Amino acid sequence: MRARRWKTAAAMAAAAGLGAAANSPTNTAAVNPARLLGNALADAIERAMPSVVTIRVARHVKRATVNPATGELEDQEGVMLGSGSGFFITAEGHILTAHHVVDGRKVQIGVMTHDGRTYEAKVVGTDPNTDLAVLKIQPPANGTYRPLEPGDSDRLRIGEFVVALGAP
């Protein structure tokens, strides 16, 4: 009777993730699904982050303001700063981002890659209806960029985890 209690206690401890057997590499999947999920998520983010970029935007704006001393309208010029994120869709430097990030006529766009390098970007095209824009930066001297590998939304199931990455 006593031996059966110990076997039952040992089985419960293993199922709860306690004991030496539960910490062995071969038993990790059965014992600690949270750790497996965490590792899978970290691996996916690590693979994707080199494709994600930070976008900095400077818009030259002009607006009319009322001079409090005279009550008259005066034109003021300035720069509005903004930021957003995007990701490489080609190895040659095409980036997908949101239209609202780069919207405007007098806009300067800078892109910072995951390794901290910065580039000036040009708008290739935008679609305000879908809020999408494509930018282009020059390829690096030592190679190409790593485009983000697209997923297949038709293969998703309700309840599956998805991750949205961005910078900043």
Side-chain angles (χ1 to χ4, degrees):
M1 180 83 161
R2 181 168 246 187
R4 192 170 78 189
R5 277 191 210 152
W6 281 109
K7 287 180 183 176
T8 302
M12 290 173 63
L18 306 173
N23 292 325
S24 70
T26 58
N27 201 19
T28 304
V31 178
N32 198 344
R35 175 162 287 180
L36 282 180
L37 177 61
N39 287 341
L41 183 60
D43 290 346
I45 291 169
E46 189 175 288
R47 282 191 311 272
M49 285 310 293
S51 303
V52 177
V53 299
T54 301
I55 300 169
R56 304 270 189 227
V57 178
R59 288 181 179 84
H60 298 278
V61 294
K62 188 184 221 183
R63 63 183 180 172
T65 59
V66 176
N67 184 327
T70 65
E72 295 185 23
L73 285 177
E74 296 179 353
D75 284 339
Q76 280 190 339
E77 292 187 30
V79 175
M80 272 181 47
L81 301 177
S83 63
S85 62
F87 58 91
F88 288 108
I89 56 175
T90 68
E92 293 76 32
H94 290 90
I95 297 165
L96 186 65
T97 189
H99 167 78
H100 70 267
V101 171
V102 298
D103 186 26
R105 288 183 297 184
K106 294 184 177 181
V107 65
Q108 292 177 309
I109 305 167
V111 170
M112 184 169 65
T113 58
H114 76 287
D115 58 3
R117 292 181 290 170
T118 58
Y119 302 89
E120 185 177 334
K122 300 291 182 199
V123 176
V124 175
T126 66
D127 182 3
N129 294 326
T130 58
D131 194 29
L132 293 175
V134 175
L135 309 177
K136 174 79 166 78
I137 63 174
Q138 292 301 312
N142 60 348
T144 59
Y145 300 107
R146 192 161 101 190
L148 192 61
E149 186 178 319
D152 184 353
S153 60
D154 290 337
R155 293 180 55 202
L156 285 177
R157 297 181 342 210
I158 294 174
E160 282 190 296
F161 286 100
V162 295
V163 178
L165 299 176

